Amino acid sequence: MTTSQRKYSCLRTFAQARELSLSDIEKQVDPTSILMCEPTCFDVKETKNAFMKGQVGKVDVALAQRQWFEVKSAFEKCGYPVHVVPAVDGFEDMVFAANQVLPGVKPRFADGGADGAAASAPYVVPARMAYQSRQREIPYYLDWFKQQKYEILPLCATTEAMPVFEGQGDAIWHPGHRLLWLGFGNRTEERSAPLLCQLLDVPVAMLRLTTATFYHLDTCFAALDENTVVIYPPAFDDESLRLIRHCFNRVIEVPESDAFNFACNCVALGHNVVLQKGSRQTCAQLESAGFNPVEVDTSEFMKSGGSVFCMKMMVY
Ligand code: ARG
């Protein structure tokens, strides 16, 4: 697509978003399956985020293994098939499958096909991780996507030229639409936004993460359906909150204790919402919004700063 045909830009302020209504943004199919990586090598070896403080060497490996299978089977019971990428020796964070790429699908009109065939033309944008120990995970995930015939769309010509961009952990599609929510300010760098906007020709709604604790967008924001989002408001600046409230009709705000219990790191699979157990108020709010909370235990993964959403990649 040439620059003159390009329709969208980055949305950072409410004034920019006000011009835009969801109905103006093209539809996009939602992912129908899930990719995970077994926690064979999972461990906490260094402190990469606030949740990891004091947890080095504290993971109960056998319990983590059992919890991982419990999460996988919860996904399957919700009707989502789970594919598995083999774990690699010494890659302690590879189990967090949300970060290595951002998957998406080309819009139907891209190939001009009226039969909708082009809707199943999936691609991935590879991440550039903040930590070198995690950068090594990316080729193994890319191998899986290449086998599945995904197109690889690099953000820059070389990895060195790329800003930090941590995949689906910081870049979340608005359900059903080609609108990308991007969290920046902790791991993912702000300059990823115009690059994504240009590469994918989508509006990129930019959300500044203001705390060091809620370091990925998926720790404080979960888009459940096209109308509903779960957020922890103190993790964002005011402009970001205004953007969110403009685009979602229903904003479920979680209390501090639930936010620290990874309530926002949930995933909606149809009307089921899989989340870490014990967030009583969030579960009640989900139920009154018509969702069915499915509680699982991810205690061992929380020691590394991740829960349900981080443990999987939504794929097509
Ligand atoms: N220990 C991992 C890290 O700090 C956890 C990643 C969790 N993933 C996520 N999408 N929030 O990179």
Side-chain angles (χ1 to χ4, degrees):
M1 184 168 273
T2 64
T3 315
S4 58
Q5 288 171 295
R6 215 162 259 135
K7 290 190 288 287
Y8 299 120
S9 52
C10 295
L11 308 172
R12 175 66 193 115
T13 63
F14 175 67
Q16 291 162 338
R18 204 168 35 191
E19 307 294 308
L20 194 80
S21 134
L22 207 53
S23 55
D24 301 332
I25 300 172
E26 285 112 350
K27 294 263 162 68
Q28 173 170 280
V29 293
D30 290 326
T32 48
S33 54
I34 289 176
L35 182 61
M36 295 179 79
C37 175
E38 241 185 278
T40 332
C41 310
F42 172 55
D43 202 355
V44 175
K45 292 187 182 166
E46 58 175 320
T47 306
K48 301 187 183 103
N49 61 61
F51 296 96
M52 298 174 94
K53 279 192 194 125
Q55 301 293 357
V56 173
K58 299 267 173 69
V59 171
D60 179 334
V61 177
L63 179 57
Q65 191 81 19
R66 290 201 296 278
Q67 290 178 344
W68 185 87
F69 279 102
E70 185 199 347
V71 172
K72 178 172 180 278
S73 102
F75 292 158
E76 288 164 341
K77 281 189 198 132
C78 293
Y80 282 66
V82 176
H83 309 278
V84 178
V85 168
V88 179
D89 254 1
F91 287 29
E92 75 274 14
D93 272 329
M94 197 168 167
V95 66
F96 296 110
N99 298 120
Q100 299 78 6
V101 300
L102 167 68
V105 279
K106 290 263 177 80
R108 288 165 67 137
F109 59 79
D111 289 355
D115 57 357
S120 61
Y123 61 80
V124 286
V125 182
R128 180 175 185 188
M129 301 284 206
Y131 288 93
Q132 201 42 43
S133 63
R134 297 212 61 193
Q135 183 66 19
R136 306 175 304 166
E137 300 166 8
I138 295 175
Y140 294 92
Y141 277 83
L142 286 183
D143 281 348
W144 186 87
F145 284 103
K146 282 178 197 160
Q147 275 164 24
Q148 310 298 314
K149 308 272 185 278
Y150 277 61
E151 188 180 353
I152 312 294
L153 296 179
L155 213 42
C156 293
T158 62
T159 307
E160 294 66 41
M162 271 185 74
V164 173
F165 167 59
E166 295 212 340
Q168 209 171 62
D170 268 329
I172 298 176
W173 290 111
H174 192 107
H177 291 271
R178 282 169 52 77
L179 166 64
L180 190 63
W181 292 93
L182 186 76
F184 70 95
N186 272 306
R187 297 284 179 87
T188 292
E189 289 178 276
E190 189 166 1
R191 65 193 173 95
S192 300
L195 294 170
L196 285 161
C197 180
Q198 197 172 16
L199 178 70
L200 306 177
D201 194 34
V202 296
V204 175
M206 298 171 65
L207 302 177
R208 184 184 293 281
L209 304 178
T210 53
T211 70
T213 307
F214 296 93
Y215 64 100
H216 273 147
L217 183 60
D218 67 12
T219 63
C220 48
F221 174 104
L224 303 186
D225 64 21
E226 70 171 328
N227 297 312
T228 317
V229 69
V230 175
I231 60 167
Y232 178 52
F236 299 97
D237 69 2
D238 287 347
E239 204 63 57
S240 304
L241 291 172
R242 296 182 78 194
L243 269 179
I244 293 170
R245 294 197 171 107
H246 173 72
C247 294
F248 288 92
N249 298 333
R250 184 162 46 199
V251 179
I252 298 177
E253 299 188 3
V254 313
E256 186 182 34
S257 55
D258 288 3
F260 278 90
N261 192 39
F262 285 85
C264 298
N265 200 247
C266 59
V267 62
L269 302 174
H271 81 292
N272 293 304
V273 177
V274 187
L275 80 169
Q276 168 61 25
K277 70 175 189 188
S279 291
R280 217 159 40 91
Q281 190 173 320
T282 303
C283 286
Q285 294 184 96
L286 288 170
E287 276 168 358
S288 50
F291 293 96
N292 175 44
V294 176
E295 294 186 278
V296 291
D297 191 359
T298 62
S299 66
E300 297 316 291
F301 300 95
M302 285 161 60
K303 294 175 180 171
S304 189
S307 181
V308 177
F309 190 96
C310 306
M311 292 166 68
K312 56 97 205 79
M313 173 87 69
M314 298 306 301
V315 296
Y316 296 92

